[in-house]
Amino acid sequence: MASAALQKDRRYSSEVRHIAFLKVHKCASSTMLNIFYRFGYKRGLNFVLPIKSNYLDMIHKKGVISVVPPPAMSGYDILCNHVTKFNKQLFSRYLPPDTKYIAIVREPFKRMYSAFHYYRNVLHYPILRNVRGVDPFKTYLNNITSLETLWGDHSFTNNKMARDFGFPTEEYKNISKFKTYLGTLDKHFHLVMVSEMFLESLVLLRRLLKWSIEDVIFLTINVHEHKNLTTDTSSENIEPFLALDRILYDHYLTRLKEQIDAQGPDFHKELQYFKDVNSKASDLCSANNTTNKLLSFRANEWHDDFTITLQDCDLLSKKEITFLNLVRDKQTERVKTYGANISYFQ
């Protein structure tokens, strides 16, 4: 049997490290960001990172360094922060040709409600803060046309997933054009995950990227409590603001199920094993845990030997901005030590 060191070298030589993740708003994307940050941070990989804040300026301006450069004699490996919208040409400017493209979608009405709550009650967007009533979300739905007209292109509730995937707002009523656009997206994205099938999506991700199960363990990040939704979502006044997102979601839900079916029966065996591993990791990292210090797993067909420590729990539980600042500081330190590769900005 190969030594543990040899097994580790073999694994690292095959794992995919060039990744683009489209961080779609309010689709469990903060949890995914932690997974990608953790993977890259442990390996000293280079991220396409904003110099300030957490949004990437993907508009190329010659001679202007708008993102944190990689160290000299190296390039970028991972892009996973928020962008204004997907643009394959701009992504390709920073990432190698062998990059795997990943995204995530969520049931549109749940996503709309989550966005309304987050941008109204957490970030306090004025347009949404002005929506009143016993049930502000119901008030919003009853007045959705006028409110969305006020919000315009800055809306986080009007077919926002379609816009994040790069479809222009001025074409929102052109359903046939959007369906054609889905064909273009299919050529770009190797995997579009589905929030409602998150664990299944992560097993597919692990297989696509040839990672260990250790790499896709997660704690749920940036989740806010919401009441159960009972509103009739078929209302004619609501539908235009969900129409494209429904098409997008249904398309990639079907595609995900087809990808799972193609995996064979061992997929569900791995899925059950992953659920067990992730549950144990969550228990270890729980604030209620006062006795256990580590968790060990013996090698099998899905991973080598690995151990989760309380230090790993610290990384697993890091919030988005905290982790962003950590990886940005580490990359900046490497640039200060080795110099910057400014070829991306010329």
Side-chain angles (χ1 to χ4, degrees), residues 81-294:
N81 276 79
H82 272 308
V83 297
T84 304
K85 61 182 179 180
F86 176 68
N87 182 314
K88 178 63 185 304
Q89 184 177 359
L90 287 175
F91 274 54
S92 299
R93 179 174 183 82
Y94 295 98
L95 295 169
D98 63 352
T99 296
K100 298 295 184 185
Y101 282 74
I102 318 293
I104 188 167
V105 294
R106 183 180 182 182
E107 194 285 317
F109 188 72
K110 291 179 181 177
R111 199 219 68 86
M112 174 186 272
Y113 177 76
S114 178
F116 176 86
H117 170 85
Y118 182 70
Y119 291 101
R120 180 184 188 274
N121 301 329
V122 179
L123 295 189
H124 302 140
Y125 274 47
I127 288 177
L128 297 184
R129 288 298 292 173
N130 290 332
V131 178
R132 305 294 184 181
V134 176
D135 185 340
F137 184 60
K138 191 171 183 179
T139 302
Y140 159 75
L141 293 178
N142 290 335
N143 299 276
I144 190 168
T145 302
S146 59
L147 287 168
E148 288 296 343
T149 300
L150 284 173
W151 209 348
D153 289 348
H154 300 290
S155 174
F156 283 89
T157 44
N158 178 7
N159 290 297
K160 179 58 175 165
M161 290 194 297
R163 181 147 56 97
D164 282 350
F165 273 88
F167 195 68
T169 54
E170 62 270 19
E171 297 283 358
Y172 270 11
K173 294 183 179 180
N174 194 335
I175 300 296
S176 62
K177 186 170 184 177
F178 182 67
K179 290 180 177 178
T180 300
Y181 184 67
L182 286 179
T184 301
L185 293 178
D186 285 347
K187 295 175 183 177
H188 294 327
F189 285 94
H190 299 86
L191 174 65
V192 176
M193 303 169 64
V194 175
S195 179
E196 286 73 22
M197 298 182 68
F198 192 60
L199 292 167
E200 293 89 343
S201 295
L202 283 175
V203 173
L204 282 178
L205 179 77
R206 187 206 71 76
R207 291 181 170 206
L208 172 68
L209 301 182
K210 301 177 183 178
W211 286 5
S212 165
I213 273 184
E214 173 189 4
D215 300 318
V216 294
I217 290 171
F218 71 96
L219 305 179
T220 304
I221 303 292
N222 201 29
V223 170
H224 300 273
E225 292 296 326
H226 306 310
K227 67 179 182 179
N228 292 327
L229 296 178
T230 58
T231 305
D232 179 10
T233 64
S234 63
S235 173
E236 290 184 4
N237 66 321
I238 300 173
E239 190 54 34
F241 304 98
L242 293 173
L244 299 184
D245 281 359
R246 285 199 195 281
I247 295 169
L248 180 78
Y249 178 80
D250 290 344
H251 177 79
Y252 283 115
L253 177 61
T254 298
R255 187 189 188 201
L256 186 84
K257 290 178 178 178
E258 290 173 347
Q259 288 174 310
I260 290 172
D261 288 343
Q263 295 296 306
D266 68 320
F267 177 88
H268 296 284
K269 182 181 176 182
E270 179 180 347
L271 176 62
Q272 187 55 50
Y273 177 76
F274 175 51
K275 289 179 180 178
D276 182 58
V277 169
N278 204 71
S279 177
K280 290 177 179 176
S282 296
D283 289 342
L284 175 73
C285 298
S286 167
N288 297 325
N289 174 30
T290 58
T291 56
N292 297 325
K293 303 297 183 184
L294 56 84

